[in-house]
Amino acid sequence: MLNRILDPAITTVMNTYQRAPIHLQKGKGSYVWDMEGNKYLDFTSGIATCNLGHVPDTVKKALEEQLDMLWHCSNLYHIQVQEKFASFLTEISCMDQVFFCNSGAEANEAAIKLARIYANKFKENVSPVIVTFKQSFHGRTLATLSATGQEKVQKGFEPLMPGFHYLTYNDAQDLKKIETICPIAVMLELVQGEGGVIPANKEWVEELVTICKKNNILLIVDEVQTGMGRTGTMFAYEQYNFEPDIVTLAKGLGSGFPIGAMLAKNPIAKSFVHGTHGSTFGGNPLAASAGLATVQFLTNNIISKNNEMIIYLWDELNHLKKTHPIIKSIQGKGLLIGVVVDRDANQIVEAARKEGVLILTAGQNVVRLLPPLTVTVEEIDQFLNSFNKILYEMGG
Ligand code: PLP
């Protein structure tokens, strides 16, 4: 049985991911253990998902309480914890209503549908188009891969879904085209995570917001990766001083329990009425319990406190950059960090794994660091020591 599990050639799981050759079995805080008992420092957080670290006590407790009560009942009935969670999310954001689903792609699907139904009801003389950006990533469903501005994600799945127009991220000239295109909405990430951990320039976003306001174009911010404290504030948009019309969330929303959400302002949100959209599992009692406990803990215990860790890690990485020419630059926001290197980033990820440290790539030459927001100085030091050693051994 174990051989069957370990041999990638005979796996019965479809081959959609290039998996590292380890089988993780257990996690706590910033650490995970494999089936052989090897311990790893996890600076991936399940791709920006386990923001409170692995198996956080507060979420475990909420889930255990809910496990004894009710697991699922469908959205044909009121679910108290779901309603409480929605209210909490609207209190901590600039949004008025929440639609719950199960993933980032599903949250973006909901945003695309909401923008379309709103425009079809209330707008005249607009092209039924949503502007997105090159190098963006919005998901793997047909609509969201069509929204994604990366050919490698779309290739082989043609025909793509119509209704998307791609502009160049951070390009002021390209922004001017928006008034000519006259789209119903613009959808963007404020840090392009999968596309290389590239933050949006502040002035560029300011200009984008001005154009959207002037022309009554909806602004959808995909915070699936940047949300839930990952960039240092609960939502990345807070650092850009504007209020989006629609925000999408997933990943860090449930500490690893699958949940996504699409939040919108009124009157846009009110365009979804009975029968226009749905999701069997969306915001079910278990998922909503995990989400509520996660976001309450983030609000009360983490967001204002982890600035020190952010500053410490960035300072030390900038220090490493001075001694290692392999590092070309460091980019990102908060604890969503891209270390641009002069070689295939996979080489560094593999070397780190051998040192007992899990990190990620974002594109060809970017090492992506996503420590949990609960990370400690000691854990950061452990990472830095390993990273430093690897860079020395690689000769730079
Ligand atoms: N949007 C962004 C910005 C993402 O980073 C991702 C996943 O990496 C998604 C959407 C898709 O999320 P999911 O994999 O939960 O469908």
Side-chain angles (χ1 to χ4, degrees):
M1 179 65 182
L2 192 61
N3 277 349
R4 187 179 164 79
I5 294 170
L6 291 175
D7 185 347
I10 51 172
T11 181
T12 46
V13 177
M14 280 196 197
N15 204 17
T16 53
Y17 283 86
Q18 185 164 17
R19 293 170 214 273
I22 49 175
H23 287 73
L24 296 180
Q25 195 175 45
K26 198 177 87 171
K28 191 69 194 166
S30 300
Y31 293 94
V32 285
W33 287 260
D34 69 14
M35 285 167 75
E36 276 121 44
N38 299 309
K39 182 180 179 184
Y40 299 86
L41 175 65
D42 184 6
F43 267 33
T44 74
S45 300
I47 323 184
T49 295
C50 306
N51 284 2
L52 306 187
H54 291 280
V55 194
D57 292 337
T58 177
V59 183
K60 186 169 171 253
K61 186 167 168 280
L63 276 170
E64 279 168 355
E65 281 168 13
Q66 190 60 50
L67 270 172
D68 280 333
M69 299 280 289
L70 182 69
W71 296 10
H72 182 79
C73 59
S74 91
N75 283 304
L76 295 175
Y77 305 95
H78 289 277
I79 302 170
Q80 196 188 23
V81 64
Q82 184 194 90
E83 285 167 3
K84 221 169 141 185
F85 187 27
S87 299
F88 196 76
L89 286 172
T90 59
E91 274 163 33
I92 59 165
S93 70
C94 58
M95 296 291 149
D96 296 310
Q97 285 195 323
V98 184
F99 173 82
F100 287 111
C101 51
N102 309 285
S103 68
E106 211 187 326
N108 285 334
E109 285 269 351
I112 293 163
K113 279 184 71 175
L114 184 65
R116 282 189 173 190
I117 201 165
Y118 176 73
N120 284 332
K121 267 189 196 164
F122 298 112
K123 288 186 166 188
E124 282 167 15
N125 302 327
V126 287
S127 9
V129 161
I130 296 178
V131 162
T132 63
F133 294 93
K134 292 172 191 163
Q135 292 305 114
S136 60
F137 185 79
H138 298 296
R140 299 279 188 175
T141 61
L142 264 177
T144 58
L145 75 81
S146 301
T148 292
Q150 295 191 57
E151 217 187 296
K152 69 173 188 202
V153 175
Q154 300 171 336
K155 206 161 179 268
F157 297 107
E158 300 84 357
L160 299 182
M161 206 182 93
F164 297 100
H165 189 109
Y166 317 100
L167 296 180
T168 304
Y169 196 62
N170 279 335
D171 183 320
Q173 279 309 106
D174 248 20
L175 277 192
K176 296 197 170 79
K177 295 181 187 159
I178 292 179
E179 287 185 275
T180 324
I181 299 166
C182 204
I184 56 173
V186 172
M187 177 154 94
L188 85 161
E189 297 158 272
L190 290 168
V191 180
Q192 288 189 329
E194 302 302 308
V197 195
I198 302 161
N201 293 336
K202 281 225 161 106
E203 304 75 51
W204 181 78
V205 173
E206 243 169 59
E207 183 58 22
L208 173 63
V209 171
T210 307
I211 293 172
C212 287
K213 276 205 178 124
K214 183 177 151 213
N215 296 281
N216 208 10
I217 298 165
L218 300 181
L219 244 181
I220 306 169
V221 177
D222 177 345
E223 296 247 18
V224 168
Q225 189 152 164
T226 53
M228 316 332 294
R230 179 50 59 189
T231 64
T233 45
M234 185 63 87
F235 307 105
Y237 73 76
E238 294 168 54
Q239 295 175 55
Y240 287 85
N241 299 319
F242 74 101
E243 295 192 357
D245 300 292
I246 299 174
V247 165
T248 55
L249 305 171
K251 288 188 180 287
L253 193 59
S255 292
F257 205 95
I259 182 163
M262 187 271 292
L263 286 67
K265 274 184 181 294
N266 283 332
I268 304 144
K270 298 227 181 291
S271 299
F272 269 175
V273 293
H274 299 169
T276 44
H277 197 47
S279 172
T280 296
F281 293 123
N284 89 357
L286 282 172
S289 299
L292 180 62
T294 299
V295 183
Q296 280 178 335
F297 194 78
L298 275 170
T299 310
N300 299 333
N301 300 284
I302 294 188
I303 296 291
S304 58
K305 288 187 192 156
N306 82 340
N307 251 353
E308 258 176 61
M309 293 303 115
I310 293 171
I311 292 166
Y312 180 61
L313 181 51
W314 276 83
D315 281 352
E316 292 300 311
L317 283 171
N318 277 313
H319 191 66
L320 278 189
K321 179 176 168 277
K322 288 191 188 125
T323 45
H324 295 290
I326 287 183
I327 300 180
K328 293 292 148 204
S329 59
I330 295 153
Q331 58 198 27
K333 257 186 201 309
L335 293 177
L336 171 48
I337 303 173
V339 181
V340 184
V341 291
D342 68 357
R343 62 198 64 203
D344 183 353
N346 271 306
Q347 290 174 17
I348 295 172
V349 169
E350 276 172 36
R353 194 170 63 243
K354 286 175 189 149
E355 289 290 318
V357 176
L358 303 183
I359 49 179
L360 292 168
T361 60
Q364 198 66 38
N365 63 341
V366 180
V367 173
R368 186 169 26 155
L369 309 177
L370 294 162
L373 311 187
T374 49
V375 72
T376 63
V377 177
E378 293 74 25
E379 289 158 357
I380 291 177
D381 284 342
Q382 182 190 342
F383 162 75
L384 291 166
N385 286 337
S386 299
F387 201 43
N388 190 28
K389 179 168 175 260
I390 290 160
L391 296 176
Y392 263 121
E393 284 171 1
M394 285 189 167

